[in-house]
Every structure is written in structure tokens, then in C-alpha cells.
Amino acid sequence: MTSTVTARHRPPVPFLALVLAVVAVATGCASPRSLRPAAVQPQQVTRQVRAGEITAATQLLTDDARALRQKWEINRAQQRSIASCMHRLGYRYLALRPGRLPTAAIVTADVAGRSRYATYGVPLHQGGPRTDPEDAYLQQLPSLQRARYGAVLLGTKDQLATITIPWGGTVTYGTGGCLGAARRRLFGSLPAFVLDSYLPQFADMRFDSYLASSRPYMVALRGWRQCMATTGKHFASPAAAVESVEMLAARRATTARALAADQRAVAGADAACGARSGLRRDRRDGLLAWLRTQPSAMLERLRAVYLTRQRAVSIALRGQHAAHTGHVPYPVNDGVRAPATVPAMSARLSKVTS
């Protein structure tokens, strides 16, 4: 706690005492022990380290505008890196547009946006059926060329590895192709990318089970549902409300105007009812309480994933700056070569998102 005694109210020190103190230090009369910094107790260090781990884990497991912007930057950098690699090897690749950068108005299942115009930030036709120019281009290629394209992009069947995810199971992932090179460049290694993709998901599932037994959160959730019902909207949770807007956006017949109107109405009611019920506040408190029950080893893993993601964001932003200044943002020597054989790892050749 900061002292409330200001310089103006601090008791005056006699001038002679100040002179004697300076002389004592200058002549070495002060005890060496008195000049040593206070020893830091091991328990204090442990508490500080654990507090830092909980802070990092909280940020990792909270979807807010900051987290969504970081994912947006990483995805854009990954797409550009893939395109650079494919073009170097003589293949066409149209990078997916990342859409609009998430703003502070974004409402998520975890936090309410800071704007009078609430939105979930769901774009039109996200995940829905649509004709992709790149897919159309691939479909008209002869089968042999299409297979070779897939091998260059995704790697071949013999370029696979496995990793065991804490709280989860064993994940098999590809290590080759321009996709593998892009992820390796951003995250430092492919296991680090896989952990970033899966460990937060498994942690969220564990946390959701914990919330189901949290009385404050369940009371707030009932209040949120009742509040939403008064607006004519019936959802089990904020996550279900977001999913309803995503389903509307995926329909081919949905227009931009219809999506915007529905999204604003649902997100606005969600944010208002969340504030009234305290749902998101109770979720945050529940997350902190749950993390405090976790062993240090798990908190260390979550913190490591968080730090790896910050590194990926930093590399993505540096690449974006290099592109704006006319420099080559991605390494030419990424280690990817066109395979001599063409058994692709996956028959799906549409562009890959993170």
C-alpha cells in the first residue's frame, strides 16, 4: 500500500542529522549489514511467480478485443507467409482476406464491448457455402497437378508428428508444406503452434465444468436468461447467442443488412443483460478462483503458451511493417521444396486458416 504521508507533511529532519548521515556513509562508518538490500524470502518469490502465471493464464483464456486482434494479426501473417512460399515454388495461392480488424465494440462470451453499437464481429457468410476463386481454380486442374499442389501446401503423408496435450489427448499434425513452414516461422516450432491451438480449448472445457458448480455464476446466468427473454431472445448462454448469429451469417440467403440488424440486436441485448446480471463479472471471478486451484506445472504451461502467442504476434507485426516499407517480410529460405512424389496429406485443398 502506498504511504499517505506526502513530502509536504513529512516531519522535518534536522540539518545536522543529515550531515552526520552523509559523513558516516562516506567514511565507511555505517555497518555493511545495514547497507545490504533486504533479503527476498523464497515464499515471496513463489507468490510473485504464481501471480504472474495466473495473470498470463487469465489473458490466454479470455476472449476479448485484444485477444481477437492478436489472432487476426497471426492469421493474416500466416496467409501471407503461405502465399509467399507457394509463389516461390511456382504455385498460385490467393491468401484469404482476414476481414475487418476487431474493434473495442466487439462483444464476446467473455467480455462486453465498449461501445453503444454492440456487435459480435461476425462477417457475412462465415463458414457458409460459397464459391471460392481458389477452389474453382484447383478443381479445373488435372488430378496429378492438384495432388502436387496439395503436397506443396500441406505436406505429404509421411510428414506427420504427434504430441500429447495436457488435459486432452494425442494430436497428430502435419510438419511439411508451406503451411508448416508458416506456422514454424510464427510460433518457433510446430509443437508450440499445436499447443497454442489446443491447450486453451481443453482448459476452457475444464473451466466450463467448474463454472457449472459455481453458485454465483449460475445465479447470474439465470438472471441473464430471464433478462434476454424479456427482449424476445431465448438462449442458454452468451456463447449460444454468438452461435446463433454465426449460423445466420453462414446462410447463403442472408443479406449484409439482415445480418447487421440481427447481430446488433442480439449483441446489444446480450451486453445489457450481462451488465444487469453481472454474468461476465462472475465469470471473470470464477476464472481467477479456478486458476488458483491449478497446480504450478499447469499454470507454467499456460503461461508458456501465452508468451509464445505474444512472440507470434510480434513477428506478425514486424512482417506487416516490412511489407509496408518494401522489404521482403518472409524468408526465402523456408526449407520447403516441391516433393518428387505427390501423395498429398489431405484431399481438401481449400486454403487453411489458423
Side-chain angles (χ1 to χ4, degrees), residues 238-298:
V242 177
E243 185 178 353
S244 73
V245 174
E246 291 174 341
M247 292 175 62
L248 177 65
R251 296 173 189 161
R252 184 182 294 275
T254 300
T255 64
R257 177 176 296 182
L259 176 63
D262 183 80
Q263 185 160 201
R264 179 175 296 181
V266 175
D270 178 8
C273 291
R276 184 176 303 174
S277 64
L279 180 63
R280 288 173 171 83
R281 178 201 61 217
D282 288 335
R283 182 198 179 279
R284 182 185 65 248
D285 293 345
L287 178 59
L288 289 172
W290 177 72
L291 287 172
R292 293 189 185 106
T293 67
Q294 300 306 306
S296 295
M298 184 54 65

Short mmCIF file of all heavy atoms in Angstrom, two decimals, residues 238-298:
data_model
loop_
_atom_site.label_atom_id
_atom_site.label_comp_id
_atom_site.label_asym_id
_atom_site.label_seq_id
_atom_site.Cartn_x
_atom_site.Cartn_y
_atom_site.Cartn_z
N PRO A 238 -24.35 -16.78 -23.37
CA PRO A 238 -23.80 -15.86 -24.37
C PRO A 238 -23.16 -16.58 -25.55
O PRO A 238 -23.25 -16.13 -26.70
CB PRO A 238 -22.77 -15.06 -23.57
CG PRO A 238 -23.30 -15.05 -22.19
CD PRO A 238 -23.91 -16.42 -22.00
N ALA A 239 -22.51 -17.72 -25.28
CA ALA A 239 -21.90 -18.49 -26.38
C ALA A 239 -22.96 -18.95 -27.37
O ALA A 239 -22.74 -18.96 -28.59
CB ALA A 239 -21.12 -19.67 -25.82
N ALA A 240 -24.12 -19.35 -26.87
CA ALA A 240 -25.21 -19.77 -27.75
C ALA A 240 -25.75 -18.60 -28.56
O ALA A 240 -26.15 -18.76 -29.72
CB ALA A 240 -26.32 -20.40 -26.92
N ALA A 241 -25.75 -17.41 -27.97
CA ALA A 241 -26.20 -16.22 -28.70
C ALA A 241 -25.25 -15.92 -29.85
O ALA A 241 -25.68 -15.61 -30.97
CB ALA A 241 -26.28 -15.03 -27.74
N VAL A 242 -23.95 -16.01 -29.59
CA VAL A 242 -22.97 -15.79 -30.65
C VAL A 242 -23.14 -16.83 -31.75
O VAL A 242 -23.10 -16.51 -32.95
CB VAL A 242 -21.54 -15.85 -30.08
CG1 VAL A 242 -20.51 -15.69 -31.20
CG2 VAL A 242 -21.34 -14.76 -29.03
N GLU A 243 -23.35 -18.08 -31.37
CA GLU A 243 -23.50 -19.16 -32.35
C GLU A 243 -24.72 -18.93 -33.24
O GLU A 243 -24.69 -19.24 -34.44
CB GLU A 243 -23.62 -20.49 -31.63
CG GLU A 243 -23.68 -21.69 -32.56
CD GLU A 243 -23.76 -23.01 -31.81
OE1 GLU A 243 -23.65 -23.00 -30.57
OE2 GLU A 243 -23.93 -24.05 -32.48
N SER A 244 -25.80 -18.37 -32.68
CA SER A 244 -26.99 -18.12 -33.49
C SER A 244 -26.70 -17.10 -34.59
O SER A 244 -27.19 -17.23 -35.73
CB SER A 244 -28.13 -17.62 -32.61
OG SER A 244 -27.92 -16.29 -32.18
N VAL A 245 -25.90 -16.09 -34.28
CA VAL A 245 -25.54 -15.08 -35.28
C VAL A 245 -24.61 -15.70 -36.33
O VAL A 245 -24.72 -15.41 -37.53
CB VAL A 245 -24.88 -13.87 -34.61
CG1 VAL A 245 -24.37 -12.88 -35.65
CG2 VAL A 245 -25.87 -13.18 -33.68
N GLU A 246 -23.71 -16.57 -35.91
CA GLU A 246 -22.81 -17.24 -36.86
C GLU A 246 -23.60 -18.12 -37.82
O GLU A 246 -23.28 -18.19 -39.02
CB GLU A 246 -21.78 -18.06 -36.10
CG GLU A 246 -20.77 -17.23 -35.33
CD GLU A 246 -19.84 -18.06 -34.48
OE1 GLU A 246 -20.17 -19.23 -34.20
OE2 GLU A 246 -18.76 -17.55 -34.09
N MET A 247 -24.63 -18.80 -37.31
CA MET A 247 -25.46 -19.64 -38.18
C MET A 247 -26.22 -18.79 -39.19
O MET A 247 -26.35 -19.16 -40.37
CB MET A 247 -26.43 -20.45 -37.32
CG MET A 247 -25.77 -21.51 -36.46
SD MET A 247 -26.92 -22.37 -35.36
CE MET A 247 -28.01 -23.14 -36.55
N LEU A 248 -26.70 -17.63 -38.76
CA LEU A 248 -27.38 -16.73 -39.69
C LEU A 248 -26.42 -16.23 -40.76
O LEU A 248 -26.76 -16.18 -41.95
CB LEU A 248 -27.97 -15.54 -38.93
CG LEU A 248 -28.66 -14.47 -39.77
CD1 LEU A 248 -29.90 -15.04 -40.46
CD2 LEU A 248 -29.02 -13.26 -38.91
N ALA A 249 -25.20 -15.90 -40.36
CA ALA A 249 -24.20 -15.40 -41.31
C ALA A 249 -23.81 -16.45 -42.33
O ALA A 249 -23.40 -16.12 -43.45
CB ALA A 249 -22.97 -14.91 -40.56
N ALA A 250 -23.90 -17.73 -41.96
CA ALA A 250 -23.47 -18.81 -42.85
C ALA A 250 -24.50 -19.14 -43.93
O ALA A 250 -24.17 -19.83 -44.90
CB ALA A 250 -23.17 -20.07 -42.03
N ARG A 251 -25.72 -18.66 -43.76
CA ARG A 251 -26.75 -18.97 -44.75
C ARG A 251 -26.54 -18.14 -46.01
O ARG A 251 -26.31 -16.95 -45.96
CB ARG A 251 -28.14 -18.69 -44.17
CG ARG A 251 -28.50 -19.57 -42.98
CD ARG A 251 -29.80 -19.12 -42.36
NE ARG A 251 -30.05 -19.81 -41.09
CZ ARG A 251 -30.90 -19.39 -40.16
NH1 ARG A 251 -31.60 -18.28 -40.39
NH2 ARG A 251 -31.05 -20.07 -39.04
N ARG A 252 -26.70 -18.81 -47.14
CA ARG A 252 -26.46 -18.13 -48.41
C ARG A 252 -27.47 -17.00 -48.64
O ARG A 252 -27.13 -15.97 -49.25
CB ARG A 252 -26.55 -19.15 -49.55
CG ARG A 252 -26.22 -18.57 -50.92
CD ARG A 252 -26.38 -19.63 -52.01
NE ARG A 252 -25.40 -20.69 -51.84
CZ ARG A 252 -24.15 -20.62 -52.32
NH1 ARG A 252 -23.74 -19.53 -52.93
NH2 ARG A 252 -23.33 -21.64 -52.16
N ALA A 253 -28.69 -17.16 -48.15
CA ALA A 253 -29.74 -16.16 -48.41
C ALA A 253 -29.62 -14.94 -47.51
O ALA A 253 -30.32 -13.94 -47.73
CB ALA A 253 -31.11 -16.80 -48.24
N THR A 254 -28.78 -14.97 -46.50
CA THR A 254 -28.67 -13.85 -45.57
C THR A 254 -27.99 -12.66 -46.24
O THR A 254 -26.94 -12.80 -46.87
CB THR A 254 -27.87 -14.26 -44.32
OG1 THR A 254 -28.53 -15.35 -43.68
CG2 THR A 254 -27.76 -13.09 -43.35
N THR A 255 -28.59 -11.49 -46.10
CA THR A 255 -28.00 -10.26 -46.65
C THR A 255 -27.18 -9.56 -45.57
O THR A 255 -27.34 -9.81 -44.37
CB THR A 255 -29.09 -9.31 -47.16
OG1 THR A 255 -29.89 -8.89 -46.04
CG2 THR A 255 -29.96 -9.99 -48.20
N ALA A 256 -26.32 -8.66 -46.00
CA ALA A 256 -25.49 -7.92 -45.06
C ALA A 256 -26.35 -7.08 -44.13
O ALA A 256 -26.06 -6.97 -42.93
CB ALA A 256 -24.50 -7.04 -45.83
N ARG A 257 -27.43 -6.49 -44.67
CA ARG A 257 -28.30 -5.66 -43.84
C ARG A 257 -29.01 -6.50 -42.80
O ARG A 257 -29.11 -6.09 -41.62
CB ARG A 257 -29.31 -4.93 -44.73
CG ARG A 257 -30.30 -4.10 -43.94
CD ARG A 257 -31.22 -3.32 -44.86
NE ARG A 257 -30.47 -2.33 -45.64
CZ ARG A 257 -31.04 -1.49 -46.49
NH1 ARG A 257 -32.35 -1.51 -46.69
NH2 ARG A 257 -30.31 -0.61 -47.15
N ALA A 258 -29.49 -7.67 -43.18
CA ALA A 258 -30.20 -8.53 -42.22
C ALA A 258 -29.26 -9.01 -41.13
O ALA A 258 -29.63 -9.05 -39.94
CB ALA A 258 -30.81 -9.72 -42.95
N LEU A 259 -28.02 -9.36 -41.51
CA LEU A 259 -27.06 -9.82 -40.52
C LEU A 259 -26.71 -8.70 -39.55
O LEU A 259 -26.66 -8.91 -38.33
CB LEU A 259 -25.79 -10.33 -41.20
CG LEU A 259 -24.66 -10.74 -40.26
CD1 LEU A 259 -25.07 -11.90 -39.39
CD2 LEU A 259 -23.40 -11.08 -41.05
N ALA A 260 -26.49 -7.49 -40.07
CA ALA A 260 -26.12 -6.37 -39.21
C ALA A 260 -27.23 -6.05 -38.22
O ALA A 260 -26.97 -5.80 -37.03
CB ALA A 260 -25.80 -5.15 -40.06
N ALA A 261 -28.48 -6.09 -38.68
CA ALA A 261 -29.60 -5.78 -37.79
C ALA A 261 -29.74 -6.83 -36.69
O ALA A 261 -29.91 -6.50 -35.51
CB ALA A 261 -30.89 -5.67 -38.60
N ASP A 262 -29.67 -8.10 -37.07
CA ASP A 262 -29.81 -9.17 -36.08
C ASP A 262 -28.64 -9.16 -35.11
O ASP A 262 -28.82 -9.33 -33.90
CB ASP A 262 -29.90 -10.51 -36.80
CG ASP A 262 -30.13 -11.66 -35.82
OD1 ASP A 262 -31.28 -11.86 -35.40
OD2 ASP A 262 -29.15 -12.35 -35.47
N GLN A 263 -27.44 -8.97 -35.64
CA GLN A 263 -26.25 -9.00 -34.80
C GLN A 263 -26.27 -7.86 -33.78
O GLN A 263 -25.94 -8.06 -32.61
CB GLN A 263 -25.00 -8.91 -35.68
CG GLN A 263 -23.71 -9.05 -34.94
CD GLN A 263 -22.55 -9.45 -35.83
OE1 GLN A 263 -21.55 -9.96 -35.35
NE2 GLN A 263 -22.66 -9.25 -37.12
N ARG A 264 -26.68 -6.68 -34.22
CA ARG A 264 -26.74 -5.54 -33.30
C ARG A 264 -27.78 -5.77 -32.22
O ARG A 264 -27.55 -5.44 -31.05
CB ARG A 264 -27.03 -4.26 -34.06
CG ARG A 264 -27.12 -3.03 -33.17
CD ARG A 264 -27.28 -1.76 -33.97
NE ARG A 264 -26.11 -1.50 -34.80
CZ ARG A 264 -25.98 -0.44 -35.60
NH1 ARG A 264 -26.96 0.44 -35.69
NH2 ARG A 264 -24.88 -0.26 -36.31
N ALA A 265 -28.93 -6.34 -32.60
CA ALA A 265 -29.99 -6.57 -31.62
C ALA A 265 -29.59 -7.61 -30.59
O ALA A 265 -29.76 -7.41 -29.38
CB ALA A 265 -31.27 -7.00 -32.34
N VAL A 266 -29.04 -8.73 -31.05
CA VAL A 266 -28.67 -9.81 -30.13
C VAL A 266 -27.48 -9.40 -29.26
O VAL A 266 -27.51 -9.58 -28.03
CB VAL A 266 -28.35 -11.10 -30.91
CG1 VAL A 266 -27.85 -12.19 -29.96
CG2 VAL A 266 -29.57 -11.59 -31.68
N ALA A 267 -26.44 -8.85 -29.89
CA ALA A 267 -25.25 -8.45 -29.12
C ALA A 267 -25.59 -7.32 -28.14
O ALA A 267 -25.07 -7.29 -27.02
CB ALA A 267 -24.14 -8.01 -30.06
N GLY A 268 -26.46 -6.40 -28.56
CA GLY A 268 -26.84 -5.31 -27.67
C GLY A 268 -27.59 -5.81 -26.44
O GLY A 268 -27.31 -5.40 -25.31
N ALA A 269 -28.55 -6.72 -26.68
CA ALA A 269 -29.29 -7.30 -25.55
C ALA A 269 -28.37 -8.13 -24.67
O ALA A 269 -28.48 -8.09 -23.43
CB ALA A 269 -30.44 -8.16 -26.08
N ASP A 270 -27.46 -8.86 -25.28
CA ASP A 270 -26.51 -9.69 -24.53
C ASP A 270 -25.66 -8.82 -23.61
O ASP A 270 -25.49 -9.12 -22.41
CB ASP A 270 -25.64 -10.45 -25.53
CG ASP A 270 -24.58 -11.32 -24.86
OD1 ASP A 270 -24.62 -11.45 -23.62
OD2 ASP A 270 -23.73 -11.86 -25.58
N ALA A 271 -25.11 -7.73 -24.15
CA ALA A 271 -24.26 -6.86 -23.35
C ALA A 271 -25.05 -6.21 -22.22
O ALA A 271 -24.57 -6.12 -21.07
CB ALA A 271 -23.62 -5.79 -24.23
N ALA A 272 -26.27 -5.74 -22.52
CA ALA A 272 -27.08 -5.09 -21.50
C ALA A 272 -27.48 -6.06 -20.39
O ALA A 272 -27.39 -5.75 -19.20
CB ALA A 272 -28.32 -4.47 -22.14
N CYS A 273 -27.89 -7.26 -20.78
CA CYS A 273 -28.30 -8.25 -19.78
C CYS A 273 -27.10 -8.77 -19.00
O CYS A 273 -27.22 -9.12 -17.82
CB CYS A 273 -29.04 -9.40 -20.46
SG CYS A 273 -30.67 -8.92 -21.11
N GLY A 274 -25.95 -8.82 -19.66
CA GLY A 274 -24.75 -9.23 -18.96
C GLY A 274 -24.37 -8.23 -17.88
O GLY A 274 -23.97 -8.61 -16.77
N ALA A 275 -24.51 -6.94 -18.20
CA ALA A 275 -24.21 -5.91 -17.21
C ALA A 275 -25.21 -5.95 -16.06
O ALA A 275 -24.84 -5.79 -14.89
CB ALA A 275 -24.22 -4.54 -17.88
N ARG A 276 -26.48 -6.18 -16.37
CA ARG A 276 -27.51 -6.19 -15.34
C ARG A 276 -27.36 -7.39 -14.41
O ARG A 276 -27.57 -7.28 -13.19
CB ARG A 276 -28.88 -6.19 -16.00
CG ARG A 276 -30.05 -6.11 -15.02
CD ARG A 276 -31.37 -6.01 -15.78
NE ARG A 276 -31.37 -4.86 -16.68
CZ ARG A 276 -32.35 -4.60 -17.55
NH1 ARG A 276 -33.40 -5.42 -17.63
NH2 ARG A 276 -32.29 -3.53 -18.32
N SER A 277 -27.02 -8.52 -14.96
CA SER A 277 -26.93 -9.75 -14.15
C SER A 277 -25.55 -9.95 -13.52
O SER A 277 -25.40 -10.74 -12.59
CB SER A 277 -27.25 -10.97 -15.02
OG SER A 277 -26.27 -11.10 -16.06
N GLY A 278 -24.55 -9.24 -14.04
CA GLY A 278 -23.18 -9.44 -13.56
C GLY A 278 -22.57 -10.74 -14.05
O GLY A 278 -21.61 -11.25 -13.45
N LEU A 279 -23.09 -11.27 -15.16
CA LEU A 279 -22.65 -12.59 -15.62
C LEU A 279 -21.17 -12.62 -15.97
O LEU A 279 -20.44 -13.51 -15.52
CB LEU A 279 -23.49 -13.01 -16.84
CG LEU A 279 -23.16 -14.38 -17.43
CD1 LEU A 279 -23.44 -15.48 -16.42
CD2 LEU A 279 -23.95 -14.61 -18.72
N ARG A 280 -20.73 -11.67 -16.76
CA ARG A 280 -19.34 -11.70 -17.19
C ARG A 280 -18.39 -11.36 -16.03
O ARG A 280 -17.26 -11.85 -16.00
CB ARG A 280 -19.15 -10.75 -18.38
CG ARG A 280 -19.77 -11.30 -19.67
CD ARG A 280 -19.73 -10.29 -20.80
NE ARG A 280 -20.12 -10.89 -22.06
CZ ARG A 280 -21.39 -11.05 -22.46
NH1 ARG A 280 -22.39 -10.65 -21.67
NH2 ARG A 280 -21.65 -11.60 -23.64
N ARG A 281 -18.84 -10.54 -15.11
CA ARG A 281 -18.02 -10.29 -13.91
C ARG A 281 -17.85 -11.57 -13.11
O ARG A 281 -16.74 -11.89 -12.65
CB ARG A 281 -18.70 -9.22 -13.06
CG ARG A 281 -17.96 -8.91 -11.74
CD ARG A 281 -18.90 -8.26 -10.75
NE ARG A 281 -20.00 -9.15 -10.42
CZ ARG A 281 -21.25 -8.74 -10.20
NH1 ARG A 281 -21.57 -7.46 -10.30
NH2 ARG A 281 -22.20 -9.61 -9.90
N ASP A 282 -18.95 -12.32 -12.93
CA ASP A 282 -18.87 -13.57 -12.18
C ASP A 282 -18.05 -14.61 -12.91
O ASP A 282 -17.39 -15.45 -12.28
CB ASP A 282 -20.27 -14.10 -11.88
CG ASP A 282 -20.99 -13.26 -10.83
OD1 ASP A 282 -20.31 -12.61 -10.02
OD2 ASP A 282 -22.23 -13.26 -10.82
N ARG A 283 -18.08 -14.56 -14.24
CA ARG A 283 -17.23 -15.48 -14.99
C ARG A 283 -15.76 -15.16 -14.75
O ARG A 283 -14.94 -16.07 -14.55
CB ARG A 283 -17.54 -15.41 -16.48
CG ARG A 283 -16.71 -16.40 -17.29
CD ARG A 283 -16.63 -16.08 -18.76
NE ARG A 283 -15.82 -17.07 -19.44
CZ ARG A 283 -14.49 -17.07 -19.48
NH1 ARG A 283 -13.80 -16.12 -18.85
NH2 ARG A 283 -13.82 -18.01 -20.12
N ARG A 284 -15.42 -13.89 -14.78
CA ARG A 284 -14.03 -13.50 -14.54
C ARG A 284 -13.58 -13.90 -13.14
O ARG A 284 -12.48 -14.43 -12.95
CB ARG A 284 -13.88 -11.99 -14.72
CG ARG A 284 -12.44 -11.48 -14.53
CD ARG A 284 -12.36 -9.97 -14.61
NE ARG A 284 -13.09 -9.34 -13.51
CZ ARG A 284 -14.20 -8.64 -13.65
NH1 ARG A 284 -14.75 -8.48 -14.85
NH2 ARG A 284 -14.80 -8.09 -12.60
N ASP A 285 -14.43 -13.65 -12.15
CA ASP A 285 -14.09 -14.04 -10.78
C ASP A 285 -13.95 -15.56 -10.68
O ASP A 285 -13.07 -16.07 -9.97
CB ASP A 285 -15.17 -13.56 -9.82
CG ASP A 285 -15.21 -12.04 -9.71
OD1 ASP A 285 -14.23 -11.39 -10.13
OD2 ASP A 285 -16.22 -11.51 -9.21
N GLY A 286 -14.82 -16.28 -11.38
CA GLY A 286 -14.74 -17.73 -11.36
C GLY A 286 -13.46 -18.24 -12.00
O GLY A 286 -12.87 -19.22 -11.53
N LEU A 287 -13.03 -17.58 -13.08
CA LEU A 287 -11.80 -17.99 -13.74
C LEU A 287 -10.60 -17.82 -12.81
O LEU A 287 -9.73 -18.70 -12.72
CB LEU A 287 -11.59 -17.17 -15.02
CG LEU A 287 -10.30 -17.45 -15.81
CD1 LEU A 287 -10.22 -18.91 -16.24
CD2 LEU A 287 -10.22 -16.53 -17.03
N LEU A 288 -10.54 -16.70 -12.12
CA LEU A 288 -9.45 -16.48 -11.18
C LEU A 288 -9.46 -17.52 -10.07
O LEU A 288 -8.41 -18.05 -9.69
CB LEU A 288 -9.54 -15.07 -10.60
CG LEU A 288 -9.22 -13.92 -11.55
CD1 LEU A 288 -9.54 -12.58 -10.90
CD2 LEU A 288 -7.76 -13.97 -11.99
N ALA A 289 -10.65 -17.80 -9.55
CA ALA A 289 -10.76 -18.80 -8.48
C ALA A 289 -10.34 -20.17 -8.97
O ALA A 289 -9.64 -20.91 -8.26
CB ALA A 289 -12.20 -18.84 -7.95
N TRP A 290 -10.74 -20.53 -10.18
CA TRP A 290 -10.38 -21.84 -10.73
C TRP A 290 -8.88 -21.94 -10.97
O TRP A 290 -8.25 -22.96 -10.65
CB TRP A 290 -11.14 -22.08 -12.03
CG TRP A 290 -10.78 -23.36 -12.70
CD1 TRP A 290 -11.11 -24.62 -12.30
CD2 TRP A 290 -10.02 -23.52 -13.91
NE1 TRP A 290 -10.61 -25.56 -13.17
CE2 TRP A 290 -9.93 -24.91 -14.17
CE3 TRP A 290 -9.42 -22.63 -14.79
CZ2 TRP A 290 -9.26 -25.42 -15.27
CZ3 TRP A 290 -8.75 -23.14 -15.90
CH2 TRP A 290 -8.68 -24.52 -16.13
N LEU A 291 -8.28 -20.89 -11.51
CA LEU A 291 -6.85 -20.92 -11.79
C LEU A 291 -6.05 -21.06 -10.50
O LEU A 291 -4.98 -21.70 -10.48
CB LEU A 291 -6.42 -19.65 -12.54
CG LEU A 291 -6.84 -19.58 -14.01
CD1 LEU A 291 -6.54 -18.22 -14.59
CD2 LEU A 291 -6.17 -20.67 -14.84
N ARG A 292 -6.54 -20.49 -9.41
CA ARG A 292 -5.82 -20.59 -8.14
C ARG A 292 -5.79 -22.02 -7.61
O ARG A 292 -4.96 -22.35 -6.76
CB ARG A 292 -6.43 -19.65 -7.11
CG ARG A 292 -6.24 -18.17 -7.44
CD ARG A 292 -6.68 -17.29 -6.27
NE ARG A 292 -6.59 -15.88 -6.65
CZ ARG A 292 -7.64 -15.11 -6.91
NH1 ARG A 292 -8.88 -15.62 -6.83
NH2 ARG A 292 -7.49 -13.85 -7.24
N THR A 293 -6.68 -22.86 -8.10
CA THR A 293 -6.71 -24.26 -7.66
C THR A 293 -5.81 -25.15 -8.51
O THR A 293 -5.62 -26.32 -8.18
CB THR A 293 -8.13 -24.83 -7.71
OG1 THR A 293 -8.58 -24.92 -9.09
CG2 THR A 293 -9.10 -23.95 -6.94
N GLN A 294 -5.27 -24.60 -9.60
CA GLN A 294 -4.48 -25.42 -10.51
C GLN A 294 -3.04 -25.57 -10.02
O GLN A 294 -2.48 -24.67 -9.41
CB GLN A 294 -4.50 -24.81 -11.92
CG GLN A 294 -5.88 -24.69 -12.51
CD GLN A 294 -6.62 -26.01 -12.50
OE1 GLN A 294 -6.12 -27.02 -13.01
NE2 GLN A 294 -7.81 -26.02 -11.91
N PRO A 295 -2.43 -26.72 -10.30
CA PRO A 295 -1.03 -26.92 -9.90
C PRO A 295 -0.10 -25.99 -10.68
O PRO A 295 -0.41 -25.54 -11.78
CB PRO A 295 -0.77 -28.39 -10.25
CG PRO A 295 -1.79 -28.72 -11.30
CD PRO A 295 -3.00 -27.90 -10.98
N SER A 296 1.05 -25.72 -10.10
CA SER A 296 2.01 -24.81 -10.72
C SER A 296 2.45 -25.28 -12.10
O SER A 296 2.66 -24.48 -13.00
CB SER A 296 3.23 -24.65 -9.80
OG SER A 296 2.88 -24.03 -8.60
N ALA A 297 2.57 -26.60 -12.27
CA ALA A 297 3.02 -27.13 -13.57
C ALA A 297 2.05 -26.75 -14.68
O ALA A 297 2.47 -26.39 -15.79
CB ALA A 297 3.16 -28.65 -13.48
N MET A 298 0.73 -26.79 -14.39
CA MET A 298 -0.24 -26.43 -15.42
C MET A 298 -0.23 -24.93 -15.68
O MET A 298 -0.34 -24.48 -16.83
CB MET A 298 -1.64 -26.89 -15.00
CG MET A 298 -2.70 -26.64 -16.07
SD MET A 298 -2.26 -27.36 -17.69
CE MET A 298 -2.26 -29.11 -17.28
#
